[in-house]
Amino acid sequence: AQRVTQPEKLLSVFKGAPVELKCNYSYSGSPELFWYVQYSRQRLQLLLRHISRESIKGFTADLNKGETSFHLKKPFAQEEDSAMYYCALGKAAGNKLTFGGGTRVLVKP
Amino acid sequence: GAGVSQSPSNKVTEKGKDVELRCDPISGHTALYWYRQSLGQGLEFLIYFQGNSAPDKSGLPSDRFSAERTGGSVSTLTIQRTQQEDSAVYLCASSTRTASTDTQYFGPGTRLTVL
């Protein structure tokens, strides 16, 4: 069965400090991985996906198949990054998403 | 353009009553998904529709849950004989297709409270 684990429920960092959100997955097939973000009072939205290999809002994530991880990183956190972040695994057929439990990021001034 | 919309935004019901939750996907999106966000279970997949194909109901937690999609557009999620454990935020998402490269766009959700 596929599973996504985000070990940290809460990450609190100061503005300008680096932030790393951990995500580990288990899946027997070829994974499609995503990071979704939910800002306060806003709807869930896609932040980035591994297949695009892009940087969005300064965030990057690298898929490490050996460690089955897809950690999200940003070198200099900003206050506007405070939000709930979800790592998600998409099945190739139908792209049903399996979400991790989420990590709340709080960036302090 | 308009995003995914859901109604009602909040629904309070009594245990044992039936409820219907509505989702209007983005125009032209052929794929529609329902997810549930609850304190105990996090975000979990319920059901998805793709075009005229039979829906994938593999995530529905019990036979009290059903969903339909009329005319390839609007979808209704129905919960019969609601229980307190059904209390959650029900999210709808749509995408152009169901390939993993297709972004799922989420609605604002319906918060269901079963008393």
Side-chain angles (χ1 to χ4, degrees), chain A residues 67-84:
Chain A
E67 295 183 0
T68 59
S69 68
F70 188 56
H71 303 327
L72 182 69
K73 301 175 187 178
K74 184 168 182 175
F76 307 103
Q78 303 299 312
E79 289 181 67
E80 56 265 29
D81 296 328
S82 295
M84 194 74 178

Side-chain angles (χ1 to χ4, degrees), chain A residues 15-79:
Chain A
K15 176 183 172 181
V19 62
E20 181 178 28
L21 289 73
K22 291 187 168 46
C23 172
N24 289 91
Y25 66 91
S26 62
Y27 182 52
S28 57
S30 183
E32 298 290 346
L33 286 151
F34 309 84
W35 277 99
Y36 278 80
V37 61
Q38 189 166 27
Y39 301 102
S40 179
R41 296 193 180 86
Q42 294 188 27
R43 59 187 69 187
L44 195 63
Q45 59 186 282
L46 178 68
L47 179 62
L48 54 77
R49 62 187 123 208
H50 92 271
I51 198 169
S52 302
R53 296 179 176 270
E54 56 194 346
S55 173
I56 303 291
K57 298 185 179 182
F59 285 96
T60 59
D62 291 318
L63 175 60
N64 186 322
K65 291 187 179 181
E67 295 183 0
T68 59
S69 68
F70 188 56
H71 303 327
L72 182 69
K73 301 175 187 178
K74 184 168 182 175
F76 307 103
Q78 303 299 312
E79 289 181 67

